[in-house]
Every structure is written in structure tokens, then in C-alpha cells.
Amino acid sequence: MLDVPLARATVLRHAHRREPVRTAPAVGRVLAEDVASDVDSPPFDKALMDGYAVRADDARPGAELRVVEEIAAGAMPSKTLTTNEAARIFTGAPIPGGADAVVMREKTSSPASDRVIVNDSPTAGQFILRRAAEMKVGEIVLPAGTVLTPQAIGVLATVGRAVVEQYPAPTVAVLATGDELVEPDSIPGPGQIRNSNGPMLLAQATAAGAAARYLGIARDTEADLAARIADGLTADILILAGGVSAGDFDLVPKVLKDLGVTPHFHHVKMKPGKPLFFGTKGHTLVFGLPGNPVSSFVGFELFVRPAIRAKAGNAVTGDGIEKMPLAESFLGNNNRPTYHPARIESNGVRGLPWFGSADLRALLDANALLVLPPGEVNYDAGSTVDVLPII
Ligand code: AMP
Ligand code: MG
């Protein structure tokens, strides 16, 4: 049986990123090309205040200057300032030749429309942003691999890139399995429960940056499973919940094999979620997560999230585990490495009360999982533990 790091490495070895596409930049996507600026920004020495462009040497408190023109944002100056001249100027407008400072309007008075009295002693360069201070033409401002944040999308606009090479969102298909399941809008009959994994896994996939599609509930028959799985194999990643353990109705591994999916592992040394299947067909990754909701959730966080990120063009490095002090003492008692719902607070991390893999409600307060080694260990408050933050 593989341990988690080896299982994760196996998944990542098969998680090839998608071919880049050339489209309008979309938030969360990863850039697949180096982007250079096609402009100096700002394109000219630019006023950062409304006021008067002046020659700093002329402008001392009480000096009266002749206003030779008015320059609005979007206009170009037509005059070069000479001794004791000023130009009325607005934020964003180009600084006229001869001027080397801007005096803000609040520090002036205007005895006539063509005169200004300065109440300031400006230093040279004051309230001027020099041409190309932000970026130079030809300079690479966004290297390949950059995640397209809103501000990156703003900079792409600055440099004239309405379309860029970027890795598309991986497509993810989610299939719930089980004769006992009904959808959330139904009242469960005797022996039935609601399908919580379907909506949860769709939400996890969407939050991880995938384009997720729901395939419904497959009943525990080979025919129904085969039809829905065949549909799901058109996605970059197919996630199944349930039907992967060793019970009589756990048909998923067999049906996957019949449909040409190559199995890579079927069990992982972890709790919850030991019977976790991973296989591939072509470039499609197939995850069979155990049906207990916390097992599904944890299996997704450990294996599916990194696969989505890798397929989306991110460099996936490290296991995400951080060292943190325990805020309260905690008794660990497990036969396998365990991922226990936890909450990171200002004074450390706290293990949450938890009834095991069927107790999804315990995750409501969780923002992390304690990563505990097997064995009975009594951790004192303040001792350092491994923690996997969850998003
Ligand atoms: P399985 O992995 O199919 O053996 O299911 C393990 C447990 O998880 C059983 O108690 C199932 O009823 C439950 N379960 C399976 N699928 C879901 C689901 N989609 N939503 C909620 N519980 C589920
Ligand atoms: Mg089942």
C-alpha cells in the first residue's frame, strides 16, 4: 500500500498540463508566455496632482507666475515654460517642457485667470511621475507561469494584451454512486441518505479552479456506472465518490478497468479514505474516492486539488504541510497516518471533536487538517505538529 507522499507523486507524474489557448485573460488561469510591454508607462512625464506645472527654481512662497496655458489629461502641452511661467495642469496630463515640479492647487491662489501666486517651495520632481518609471517598452512585465490575478489582468491591459497564451481550466466531471442516495431536493426514504458528496466535490473542484460538471448519481449496477463513467472520461479529470471499497456493491474499479482505465493505486496508507483509487485513460485522470463524505473531502484535498493545479499549468511543489504549535493538548490514537479536522487560530492549531469519516459536520469549523503519525501519542499544548491548511 502506498503512503500519501508516494501516492501524490504518482498522481502528479500523470497530471500533464493542458495545451495553452490564446484567449482573453481570465482570472485564476496561468500565463503560458512571457509578456513584454509595448509601451513606456507612463508614456510621458505625468502630473500626479491638479495644480500648476512650474520651474522649481522660480517657485517660492509669494512668487507670482504667468499662466501660459492649461493642460488637461489627454491633451498635449504646446509651450515650453521659461522664467516665471507656469501652466495650469490636471492629474494625468503631460508635464510641459521647462517645468520640473507640480504645485498642488491648494497651495496656490489665482489673482487673475493668467496669474498664479505660489504658497509652496516645491522640490524638483515633486508630483511628477517620470516617463517609463512603471515599465519600459520591451521589458518583460509578466513571465510565463504567472497566475492571472485581477492586478495581472490590469497590467496586461496596460501593455495592450487583450488576448494571451494561457492554460485553460481543467474540466472535471463528478459522479456520485450508490443505491442509497437521493438528491438534496428529495426527502430520503427508509434506508436512504442525501447525496452530499456530489455538490461538495463540485464546489471543491470549482474552488480549485476547474470547470466542473455534474454527472448525477450512478446506481450500483455495472450498466449504469459504465454509461456515466464513459461520459465522464471525456473530461480532464473524472471524480467518482463511493463504490471503491471491497463490498459486493463496490463495482467502480471493475467497471473502470472494463472501460480501459489503467489502475495506478487502489489503497493509500491514510485515515480517513484508505480505499482510494487512482487510474488514467490517455491524459484523463480518474479518482475513485471513498463514499464517506470526510473521506471524499480529504481525498480531494490531498490528491485531486494538486492534480487540478498541475493540469492548470501551476508549478505544484511541496506538500503544503506547515509546522504549528498546538493551542490545546490533543490525544492522537490511530492505526494509520491520520488527517484530523482542525482549526488554526491566533495562538496555534486546535484539533476539533470528530466522529470519523461519516461526520462531515465536524468540518464546518475546520480550516486545516492535523497530520498525525500512527500510534497513540499524547500531544501537549504548545508542541509542534504538522498541519495541512484547507481552503
Ligand atoms: P461507499 O464508499 O460507497 O462504500 O460508501 C461509504 C459510505 O459513504 C456509505 O455509508 C455511503 O452511504 C456513504 N456515501 C456514499 N456516497 C455518498 C454521497 N455521495 N453522499 C453522502 N454519503 C455517501
Ligand atoms: Mg456505495
Side-chain angles (χ1 to χ4, degrees):
M1 202 182 343
L2 299 185
D3 59 14
V4 169
L6 201 52
R8 191 181 141 94
T10 305
V11 168
L12 287 174
R13 203 165 55 242
H14 290 91
H16 308 290
R17 64 188 182 198
R18 292 193 46 176
E19 282 299 307
V21 292
R22 203 177 153 76
T23 49
V27 70
R29 304 275 54 86
V30 175
L31 200 57
E33 60 169 324
D34 291 338
V35 172
S37 179
D38 72 339
V39 289
D40 284 342
S41 182
F44 41 74
D45 293 349
K46 162 175 167 170
L48 294 177
M49 283 285 171
D50 289 345
Y52 291 85
V54 299
R55 298 154 59 93
D57 284 349
D58 298 345
R60 65 201 80 65
E64 183 169 328
L65 308 176
R66 195 164 71 83
V67 179
V68 297
E69 69 173 329
E70 184 173 289
I71 311 159
M76 286 301 290
S78 64
K79 299 199 169 80
T80 296
L81 301 191
T82 56
T83 309
N84 291 327
E85 288 183 342
R88 179 93 174 93
I89 200 162
F90 296 87
T91 302
I95 302 290
D100 62 358
V102 171
V103 174
M104 59 201 282
R105 174 149 200 218
E106 293 82 337
K107 297 211 167 165
T108 64
S109 57
S110 181
S113 65
D114 64 345
R115 314 296 296 177
V116 62
I117 296 170
V118 175
N119 299 309
D120 195 10
S121 1
T123 53
Q126 167 178 300
F127 300 134
I128 294 175
L129 185 63
R130 289 296 171 193
R131 174 177 183 155
E134 184 189 9
M135 63 185 83
K136 290 183 181 48
V137 64
E139 185 183 345
I140 290 179
V141 287
L142 293 158
T146 301
V147 177
L148 295 180
T149 57
Q151 57 273 39
I153 288 172
V155 171
L156 286 171
T158 305
V159 303
R161 295 302 302 271
V163 294
V164 288
E165 294 274 336
Q166 65 200 298
Y167 298 102
T171 57
V172 168
V174 173
L175 178 59
T177 75
D179 286 344
E180 75 281 27
L181 300 178
V182 298
E183 292 293 18
D185 58 358
S186 299
I187 308 288
Q192 296 182 323
I193 58 165
R194 292 199 178 100
N195 167 23
S196 52
N197 289 336
M200 179 179 70
L201 289 165
L202 279 170
Q204 282 178 289
T206 305
R213 179 165 72 98
Y214 181 49
L215 300 175
I217 300 170
R219 297 308 169 191
D220 291 322
T221 67
E222 288 193 28
D224 196 21
L225 280 166
R228 292 175 195 263
I229 289 171
D231 182 7
L233 286 173
T234 60
D236 294 318
I237 297 177
L238 168 60
I239 308 173
L240 298 111
V244 285
S245 36
D248 288 349
F249 299 100
D250 295 325
L251 303 166
V252 165
K254 174 177 188 302
V255 174
L256 287 173
K257 205 159 175 222
D258 292 347
L259 288 169
V261 173
T262 305
H264 297 292
F265 59 79
H266 189 173
H267 292 95
V268 182
K269 230 179 277 170
M270 60 185 273
K271 195 176 177 174
K274 179 174 80 161
L276 193 150
F277 175 96
F278 171 65
T280 52
K281 183 174 184 184
H283 280 177
T284 298
L285 311 183
V286 182
F287 294 91
L289 306 178
N292 267 313
V294 184
S295 304
S296 275
F297 183 93
V298 171
F300 181 97
E301 291 301 316
L302 292 181
F303 302 108
V304 188
R305 178 184 294 282
I308 290 174
R309 289 182 47 73
K311 280 219 167 265
N314 296 280
V316 181
T317 51
D319 56 11
I321 290 176
E322 297 173 20
K323 304 258 179 216
M324 255 174 238
L326 269 178
E328 294 172 1
S329 64
F330 184 82
L331 178 63
N333 187 4
N334 313 290
N335 51 358
R336 288 193 294 280
T338 295
Y339 294 79
H340 186 108
R343 184 156 186 89
I344 299 169
E345 290 169 349
S346 57
N347 60 340
V349 63
R350 187 162 59 83
L352 297 171
W354 181 43
F355 295 118
S357 58
D359 179 14
L360 185 59
R361 189 180 177 187
L363 277 179
L364 284 178
D365 281 338
N367 58 12
L369 300 166
L370 289 182
V371 185
L372 302 166
E376 187 178 330
V377 188
N378 206 341
Y379 298 91
D380 293 329
S383 54
T384 302
V385 288
D386 285 349
V387 179
L388 182 69
I390 53 180
I391 300 140

